[in-house]
Amino acid sequence: MKSVKALEVAVIGTGFSGLGMAIRLKKDGVEDFAVFEKAADVGGTWRENTYPGCACDVPSHLYSFSFEQNPDWTRAFATQPEIHAYLKDVTRKHDLLPHIRYGHQLTAASFDDELCQWNLSFANGNEVLAKNVVLGIGGLHIPQLPKFDGADDFTGPAFHSAEWNHDIDLTGKKVAVIGTGASAIQIIPAIADKVEKLYSFQRTAPWVMPKPDREYSEREKALFAKVPFVQNLSRDLIYNQHEVRFVAFRYAKPLLKGMELVARHNINKSIKNRVLRRKVTPLFDMGCKRVLISNDYYPALAKPNVDVVTARIDQVTETGIKDSGGKQYDVDVIIYATGFKTVDAIANMNFSGRNGLKIQDAWKAGAESYMGIHTAGFPNAYFLMGPNTGLGHNSMVYMIESQIQYVADALKQARKNQWSLVDVKPEAQRHFVGRIQGAMKSTVWASGCQSWYLDDQGKNWTLWPGFTFAYRAMTRRFDPAVCEVKTSAESPKKTVPIPKRNRLARLTGSLLSAA
Ligand code: N01
């Protein structure tokens, strides 16, 4: 089925990004939009990840929309069901359901140069035309499954953390958990008591700080509801505490040594066995990989039925896992907590822009973008949580709201000026990428560890190497001077020239260097 009239805006995905964008469109009086969702429910990563122990590692007062704060969070770090329920509530409250098209998995998007609109194809066979497309597809949803020899020979259940098989009862089973990232350190404590034996296959020991989690009392929740100022204050405090971490990540790395002492104490207070302590003590600079938080991970590893295996996995066999020393670990279930393909979420898409330019060709040298929102050659397409806008130190919801403000302003200016095409200029993009990659060099993420933040060449296309308030200032207004714009009557060549030193370029420069 092909829609005849082009939608004003097609939003892809119903996680924080897609829902936030939809709410903003409605607020701006745009009703001619639809939100396409592959599943039958909203929630993005908070719908997909249902593994035991799944919770946010950013406090919920901050990890929620600024305009939709929830006084009823039951604890400081809400668990997955509560965050998913919050997103469903927000959807209902803002009356988004009439705009949402479930069962629509985007398979291809191509730009029509003549008509200046996007042709969107979905797995269910539907095709949709849209003048603008906003991609809120997230970066952490394509499971990264290592290709171990013999993986298909294993006769028991094996699944990825983001595709948890709830039909399998782990009670009394022997279980292998591969990986020790943010997901694994939540899964291991949640299942350790019910399984007979748990082998944690650790390739790299992570830094794990104590988690300042606690339940909110009824009195506190009532106070947050009655006096929103108190919740705002709590949110601001949490924001500032997190933002300050970036000082250590970029400018004052010795401060990270102090944090390492806290993390070592976290190990020592829970693990008495010296060999195990040594095994789980990281050998890289704190912050280089994501800093994890947990109060129950180390106590779980210290349990008698849990073994940490540091030998490399050589192969998967019919009955379990064999390590590089030839030792066999027989297990009933294998859980791959091995992370996600990050930038690939966009780079693997069937996504073609002007003159059939494929995203794979545009990004041959890396995921180059402007503000992580536009990429040259893909007009009228906006990414939320695009390249270089992930965070190692603060709440992604804050970044998403900054991007939504920018995209909403771009769309508003396009409507007002009747632009049919808005495409970021390659020179503006090059300048931006140069600043970002330059700033990246002095961050802790470039201190030599291997992480999913980096591509095969060691370049970081994932994280924002600055303060989040700097990003917010840079995304407050859309500046048409950095784009080629065209009205329906004009030739595609007509552009607004970039002034020698425009306001945005000045901001980009000064805020990034301040960041
Ligand atoms: O994935 P990860 P994750 N053999 O990539 C190991 C978000 N998140 O799902 O470190 C053996 O961090 C790999 O080892 P190494 C959050 O942004 C958020 O845990 O590469 N091991 C690592 O230990 C997070 O950062 C929340 O040496 C292999 C693990 O698998 C992101 O999701 C909660 C291997 C992968 O860790 C991803 O977290 C949960 C192999 N071949 C997740 N390949 C919040 O609370 C990989 N590994 C918001």
Side-chain angles (χ1 to χ4, degrees), residues 309-341:
V309 181
T310 51
R312 285 296 163 108
I313 295 173
D314 183 46
Q315 67 175 113
V316 175
T317 65
E318 278 183 22
T319 55
I321 291 174
K322 193 182 267 183
D323 75 20
S324 50
K327 186 170 174 192
Q328 168 77 19
Y329 304 83
D330 281 340
V331 292
D332 303 306
V333 181
I334 299 178
I335 296 163
Y336 289 89
T338 43
F340 300 88
K341 297 177 179 171

Side-chain angles (χ1 to χ4, degrees), residues 289-305:
K289 284 165 171 303
R290 188 176 171 94
V291 180
L292 308 181
I293 51 171
S294 176
N295 298 329
D296 49 13
Y297 176 59
Y298 291 129
L301 296 186
K303 288 182 194 284
N305 65 331

Side-chain angles (χ1 to χ4, degrees), residues 9-11 17 20-22 24-25 28 30 132-136 370-374 380-386 399-415 419 422 471 474-479:
V9 189
V11 179
S17 305
M21 191 72 234
R24 180 57 189 265
L25 287 170
D28 289 351
V30 180
N132 300 284
V133 59
V134 181
L135 291 144
Y370 180 76
M371 299 281 183
I373 297 176
H374 310 263
N380 308 357
Y382 303 92
F383 300 115
L384 301 176
M385 288 178 70
M399 292 297 269
I400 290 168
E401 284 192 32
S402 303
Q403 294 166 350
I404 288 172
Q405 160 59 26
Y406 179 94
V407 176
D409 194 39
L411 296 175
K412 197 186 282 175
Q413 293 195 40
R415 280 195 304 281
W419 295 328
V422 175
Y471 186 75
M474 291 159 78
T475 48
R476 206 166 50 81
R477 294 267 301 143
F478 165 76
D479 184 351

Side-chain angles (χ1 to χ4, degrees), residues 253-493:
K253 290 186 209 96
L255 286 177
L256 293 168
K257 292 288 163 208
M259 285 168 66
E260 285 182 10
L261 290 179
V262 178
R264 282 175 201 278
H265 177 69
N266 203 21
I267 296 173
N268 294 343
K269 79 171 189 248
S270 307
I271 299 178
K272 300 293 161 231
N273 180 310
R274 281 178 161 207
V275 178
L276 182 56
R277 274 187 190 176
R278 213 171 307 124
K279 268 188 188 177
V280 301
T281 301
L283 300 171
F284 61 92
D285 290 348
M286 174 176 272
C288 187
K289 284 165 171 303
R290 188 176 171 94
V291 180
L292 308 181
I293 51 171
S294 176
N295 298 329
D296 49 13
Y297 176 59
Y298 291 129
L301 296 186
K303 288 182 194 284
N305 65 331
V306 179
D307 280 354
V308 176
V309 181
T310 51
R312 285 296 163 108
I313 295 173
D314 183 46
Q315 67 175 113
V316 175
T317 65
E318 278 183 22
T319 55
I321 291 174
K322 193 182 267 183
D323 75 20
S324 50
K327 186 170 174 192
Q328 168 77 19
Y329 304 83
D330 281 340
V331 292
D332 303 306
V333 181
I334 299 178
I335 296 163
Y336 289 89
T338 43
F340 300 88
K341 297 177 179 171
T342 48
V343 170
D344 297 6
I346 296 168
N348 284 350
M349 276 179 52
N350 192 347
F351 188 38
S352 49
R354 290 172 98 173
N355 305 315
L357 175 67
K358 292 200 175 339
I359 192 78
Q360 291 80 359
D361 292 327
W363 284 0
K364 240 186 305 199
E368 300 191 353
S369 74
Y370 180 76
M371 299 281 183
I373 297 176
H374 310 263
T375 198
F378 295 80
N380 308 357
Y382 303 92
F383 300 115
L384 301 176
M385 288 178 70
N388 286 116
T389 61
L391 294 181
H393 71 284
N394 213 328
S395 168
M396 271 316 293
V397 182
Y398 182 92
M399 292 297 269
I400 290 168
E401 284 192 32
S402 303
Q403 294 166 350
I404 288 172
Q405 160 59 26
Y406 179 94
V407 176
D409 194 39
L411 296 175
K412 197 186 282 175
Q413 293 195 40
R415 280 195 304 281
K416 188 170 153 223
N417 297 298
Q418 297 188 326
W419 295 328
S420 57
L421 180 140
V422 175
D423 192 8
V424 73
K425 291 176 182 166
E427 59 269 34
Q429 179 168 298
R430 263 195 307 276
H431 176 75
F432 180 79
V433 169
R435 306 274 333 175
I436 291 288
Q437 292 302 332
M440 202 66 83
K441 288 189 186 128
S442 53
T443 64
V444 68
W445 308 306
S447 62
C449 71
Q450 257 194 1
S451 79
W452 61 262
Y453 296 155
L454 310 177
D455 70 7
D456 296 343
Q457 274 72 51
K459 270 201 162 177
N460 190 331
W461 298 104
T462 315
L463 296 182
W464 172 245
F467 290 108
T468 60
F469 58 78
Y471 186 75
R472 177 148 293 189
M474 291 159 78
T475 48
R476 206 166 50 81
R477 294 267 301 143
F478 165 76
D479 184 351
V482 298
C483 287
E484 174 187 354
V485 296
K486 170 191 152 190
T487 59
S488 322
E490 282 176 330
S491 112
K493 297 279 177 282

Side-chain angles (χ1 to χ4, degrees), residues 51 55-57 146 179-183 203-204 289-290 337-340 452:
Y51 60 77
C56 189
D57 58 12
T180 50
S183 303
R203 189 165 69 178
T204 313
K289 284 165 171 303
R290 188 176 171 94
T338 43
F340 300 88
W452 61 262

